[in-house]
């Protein structure tokens, strides 16, 4: 991009903007940047090789045993791993881009590209202005780029957002005309650069889509070979039915399938993983292009309303809160909710991550069971009262997954790493609430805990599952690998010390061991210091 400002960071670390600077400065060195002597993992599963990497004009210009000419900046990577920047296939990191475009927690993990628009929900500018679908997705992408993100951003089109706009919030089938309008909106978004379509079938109104409707909505993906990414209808007792439905949608539409954050939730469902793998593998043998992703934690984050049955949330927040108070249905809601709490192992496994009402701030960061006990309240009654005070807007983390299954999901040849996390900083407006630590720790945690400590997978496999594999899912042709001519998104990390530090109790901590991160050839992080460059771009799939 010619409108991007170019920077040089001198060896002393001071920042020198080259826009308008004398031309001789640009000619001083043969390369913008040379990363010397690192063990290069190129994004495939090939063993590491010691190489120098030269970067100029945002691209990788040489990968050689010894790059002779000097770079304007040099990074000594001896003893370090040099790999492609991480591609986060399932991210909510665009959510507070305007509040804080530095995207600190992403850059500091080594993430250089995020894929937003997940769980059925994508942003759309000009939503109200125009009933005409064409142009809305492009306007959203343009607004995203002009916000100056620190990492590259792609987006899927959210099928829940599309349904919300065309059908509304209610639980009813789409009419034939509405279906046509939704398909047109999806076609337009794909033409404008969407890199897949996502569903969130545990959320309203996405949950109101039938399997047949999902097949119709996903057909436009087939010709482009872009994925249907699904937060499935259920991830616990009806996990296997949900896997079958996901396969049926992708097969019916003829498109690739990406199962988002695959998990076997609730101890009584942990034994189902073998069957999940068997069904996925058999669909693959029958020709389906299928894969899945997972974050490296045994707890999930969602809204506290998700403990309540989908039917009780039909029609939005007001309708939901009215039903909680309606004697005709409140007992049934309570019994179904208590069954769900039981499934995840009781109230002590429900961690309150964020509230809005000041009178409930004391609950933040606590387990609902202990908190209720501490104020002598019944946990269910307390939950209902808090939902009323917070207008339904309470974040929760549920501890209900198996670590052994997590090892196996990450190690499976069709498994890859994705954070499902947001973007945060340890200071500033995004230090707020008690978020899931995955937004600050996912990629270093896989490298530290699951590669180095648990040995669930090799380092080269892990890097592959963080770079080339996710890049290929969304047809990102010029990233995800280290090769001459490709975009210079690169991370340098210490395989001995790389680790996450964010926890559920203290989430606002950056990881350790990530030494340097380059986004589009510009140093975004070096030895703990950020450049203040916002060199991310909006990317589109190569179709
Ligand atoms: Zn999800």
């Amino acid at each position: 991009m010619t409108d991007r400002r170019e920077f040089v960071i001198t060896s002393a670390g001071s920042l020198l903007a080259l826009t308008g600077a004398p031309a001789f400065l640009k000619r001083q060195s043969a390369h913008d940047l040379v990363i010397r002597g690192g063990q290069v993992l190129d994004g495939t599963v090939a063993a590491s090789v010691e190489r120098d990497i030269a970067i100029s004009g945002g691209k990788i210009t040489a990968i050689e045993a010894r790059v002779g000419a000097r770079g304007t900046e040099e990074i000594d990577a001896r003893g370090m791993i040099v790999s492609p920047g991480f591609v986060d296939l399932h991210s909510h990191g665009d959510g507070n881009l305007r509040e804080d475009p530095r995207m600190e927690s992403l850059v500091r993990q080594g993430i250089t590209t995020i894929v937003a628009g997940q769980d059925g929900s994508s942003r759309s500018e000009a939503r109200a202005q125009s009933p005409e679908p064409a142009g809305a997705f492009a306007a959203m992408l343009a607004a995203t780029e002009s916000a100056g993100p620190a990492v590259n951003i792609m987006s899927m089109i959210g099928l829940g957002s599309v349904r919300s706009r065309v059908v509304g919030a209610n639980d009813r089938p789409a009419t034939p005309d509405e279906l046509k309008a939704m398909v047109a909106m999806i076609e337009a978004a794909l033409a404008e650069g969407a890199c897949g379509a996502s569903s969130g079938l545990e959320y309203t109104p996405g949950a109101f889509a039938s399997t047949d409707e999902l097949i119709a909505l996903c057909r436009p993906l087939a010709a482009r070979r872009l994925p249907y990414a699904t937060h499935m209808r259920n991830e616990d007792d009806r996990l296997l039915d949900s896997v079958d439905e996901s396969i049926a949608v992708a097969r019916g539409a003829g498109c690739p399938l990406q199962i988002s954050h695959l998990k076997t939730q609730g101890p009584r469902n942990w034994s189902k993983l073998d069957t999940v793998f068997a069904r996925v593998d058999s669909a693959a043998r029958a020709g389906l292009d299928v894969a899945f992703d997972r974050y490296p934690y045994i707890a999930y984050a969602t809204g506290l309303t998700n403990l309540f049955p989908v039917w009780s949330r039909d029609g939005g927040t007001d309708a939901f809160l009215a039903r909680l108070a309606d004697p005709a249905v409140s007992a049934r809601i309570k019994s179904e909710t208590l069954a769900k709490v039981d499934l995840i192992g009781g109230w002590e496994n429900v961690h309150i991550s964020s509230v809005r009402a000041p009178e409930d701030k004391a609950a933040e960061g606590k387990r609902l069971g202990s908190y209720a006990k501490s104020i002598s309240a019944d946990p269910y009654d307390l939950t209902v009262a808090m939902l009323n005070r917070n207008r339904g807007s309470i974040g929760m983390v549920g501890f209900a997954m198996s670590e052994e299954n997590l090892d196996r999901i990450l190690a499976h040849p069709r498994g890859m790493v994705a954070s499902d996390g947001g973007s945060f900083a340890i200071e500033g407006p995004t230090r707020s609430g008690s978020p899931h630590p995955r937004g600050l720790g996912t990629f270093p945690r896989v490298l530290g805990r699951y590669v180095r400590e648990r040995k669930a997978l090799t380092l080269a496999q892990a890097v592959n599952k963080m770079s080339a594999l996710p890049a290929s899912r969304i047809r990102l042709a010029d990233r995800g690998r280290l090769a001459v001519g490709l975009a210079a998104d690169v991370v340098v990390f210490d395989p001995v010390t790389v680790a996450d530090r964010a926890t559920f109790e203290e989430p606002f901590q950056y990881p350790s061991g990530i030494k340097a991160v380059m986004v589009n050839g510009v140093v975004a992080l070096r030895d703990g210091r950020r450049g203040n460059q916002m060199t991310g771009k909006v990317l589109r799939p190569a179709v």
Side-chain angles (χ1 to χ4, degrees):
M1 303 297 284
T2 49
D3 59 352
R4 194 159 57 77
R5 296 174 74 199
E6 292 178 26
F7 292 92
V8 167
I9 297 177
T10 66
S11 50
S14 63
L15 196 67
L16 176 61
L18 276 185
T19 309
F24 71 86
L25 268 178
K26 288 189 178 181
R27 288 199 297 267
Q28 249 176 3
S29 305
H31 308 287
D32 291 351
L33 172 67
V34 179
I35 303 166
R36 295 208 183 265
Q39 289 293 321
V40 172
L41 284 171
D42 66 2
T44 71
V45 291
S48 66
V49 193
E50 188 181 313
R51 288 285 182 267
D52 291 353
I53 297 185
I55 291 168
S56 279
K59 300 237 184 293
I60 297 170
T61 49
I63 302 180
E64 292 163 10
R66 174 92 178 93
V67 168
R70 300 284 298 171
T72 305
E73 181 171 15
E74 300 240 337
I75 291 177
D76 178 358
R78 282 173 299 177
M80 303 287 145
I81 298 289
V82 181
S83 84
F86 304 140
V87 176
D88 190 348
L89 198 55
H90 186 108
S91 170
H92 301 285
D94 62 326
N96 45 26
L97 176 62
R98 277 162 196 79
E99 281 171 85
D100 190 347
R102 296 174 301 164
M103 307 180 110
E104 288 282 358
S105 72
L106 309 186
V107 171
R108 287 169 187 273
Q109 287 183 64
I111 296 169
T112 54
T113 298
I114 62 169
V115 183
Q118 298 299 333
D119 297 318
S121 174
S122 53
R123 274 157 237 291
S124 165
E125 302 294 319
R127 181 181 308 237
Q129 288 94 307
S130 164
E132 178 59 45
F137 200 85
M140 181 276 287
L141 292 181
T144 299
E145 188 153 271
S146 67
V151 305
N152 303 308
I153 301 187
M154 301 180 84
S155 181
M156 297 200 179
I157 176 80
L159 300 182
S161 301
V162 170
R163 194 174 218 277
S164 163
R165 196 161 151 189
V166 175
V167 183
N170 298 326
D171 184 3
R172 65 167 176 82
T175 67
D177 277 354
E178 286 168 341
L179 196 59
K180 245 170 87 183
M182 289 196 285
V183 169
M185 203 175 280
I186 292 159
E187 291 274 16
L190 291 170
E192 290 162 22
C195 62
S198 75
S199 71
L201 303 182
E202 278 193 305
Y203 302 108
T204 62
F208 304 141
S210 67
T211 305
D212 284 343
E213 178 178 314
L214 293 168
I215 291 173
L217 298 184
C218 287
R219 280 211 179 94
L221 296 166
R224 294 180 162 86
R225 307 309 303 152
L226 287 170
Y228 166 57
T230 180
H231 173 139
M232 296 189 293
R233 220 173 274 281
N234 181 276
E235 298 177 323
D236 46 66
D237 289 353
R238 285 172 289 122
L239 171 66
L240 297 175
D241 291 345
S242 301
V243 169
D244 288 346
E245 182 189 33
S246 306
I247 290 169
V249 169
R251 193 174 272 159
C255 68
L257 171 64
Q258 183 75 22
I259 298 176
S260 299
H261 42 62
L262 178 65
K263 59 177 81 82
T264 52
Q265 196 163 290
R268 69 183 181 227
N269 296 307
W270 290 356
S271 64
K272 291 177 180 169
L273 187 62
D274 285 319
T275 313
V276 170
F277 284 170
R279 291 189 191 183
V280 164
D281 290 339
S282 111
R285 275 195 305 275
L288 189 71
D289 180 359
V290 49
F292 46 82
D293 52 72
R294 175 61 191 272
Y295 49 82
Y297 296 83
I298 56 165
Y300 65 97
T302 186
L304 191 61
T305 52
N306 242 37
L307 293 176
F308 291 76
V310 168
W311 63 263
S312 72
R313 292 179 269 141
D314 181 11
T317 304
D318 289 330
F320 169 61
L321 295 177
R323 280 189 203 102
L324 288 179
D326 179 355
V329 289
S330 60
R332 189 176 148 214
I333 294 176
K334 180 172 179 178
S335 77
E336 290 185 28
T337 302
L338 292 181
K340 172 93 175 186
V341 171
D342 191 46
L343 163 82
I344 66 170
W347 292 105
E348 206 50 24
N349 284 348
V350 179
H351 168 105
I352 301 295
S353 55
S354 67
V355 298
R356 285 204 311 207
E359 58 267 52
D360 290 318
K361 280 287 169 194
E364 264 184 8
K366 301 210 172 102
R367 302 300 178 101
L368 220 156
S370 305
Y371 180 63
K373 208 168 175 184
S374 75
I375 60 169
S376 307
D378 170 78
Y380 182 79
D381 295 342
L382 174 65
T383 300
V384 170
M386 288 188 9
L387 285 171
N388 273 298
R389 284 196 290 270
N390 291 272
R391 303 278 312 139
S393 183
I394 298 178
M396 68 160 274
V397 173
F399 288 81
M401 290 169 243
S402 150
E403 182 110 77
E404 287 66 36
N405 282 1
L406 173 50
D407 288 345
R408 296 180 61 204
I409 290 168
L410 290 173
H412 191 284
R414 297 182 183 283
M416 51 195 86
V417 178
S419 78
D420 200 11
S423 168
F424 304 96
I426 62 170
E427 34 61 51
T430 61
R431 185 187 175 115
S432 160
S434 176
H436 195 298
R438 64 193 175 193
L440 297 98
T442 286
F443 291 83
R445 182 172 171 87
V446 169
L447 298 170
R449 181 173 175 86
Y450 293 92
V451 172
R452 189 175 59 235
E453 292 171 13
R454 294 178 66 84
K455 300 184 177 17
L457 64 174
T458 69
L459 191 55
Q461 283 168 339
V463 165
N464 174 245
K465 289 165 179 291
M466 296 172 175
S467 55
L469 216 45
S472 73
R473 296 305 284 164
I474 43 173
R475 308 201 61 180
L476 191 50
D478 65 340
R479 319 219 171 209
R481 286 172 298 128
L482 295 181
V484 171
L486 299 192
D489 290 347
V490 186
V491 55
V492 179
F493 63 90
D494 183 343
V496 179
T497 62
V498 65
D500 63 307
R501 293 171 61 238
T503 63
F504 286 94
E505 292 72 29
E506 295 277 350
F508 292 107
Q509 302 188 80
Y510 296 135
S512 54
I514 304 289
K515 294 293 178 185
V517 178
M518 275 56 68
V519 179
N520 291 310
V522 179
V523 179
L525 177 78
R526 183 169 183 179
D527 296 325
R529 280 200 314 267
R530 285 294 306 275
N532 57 5
Q533 312 89 340
M534 306 299 173
T535 57
K537 303 178 195 175
V538 162
L539 305 177
R540 292 170 180 80
V543 287

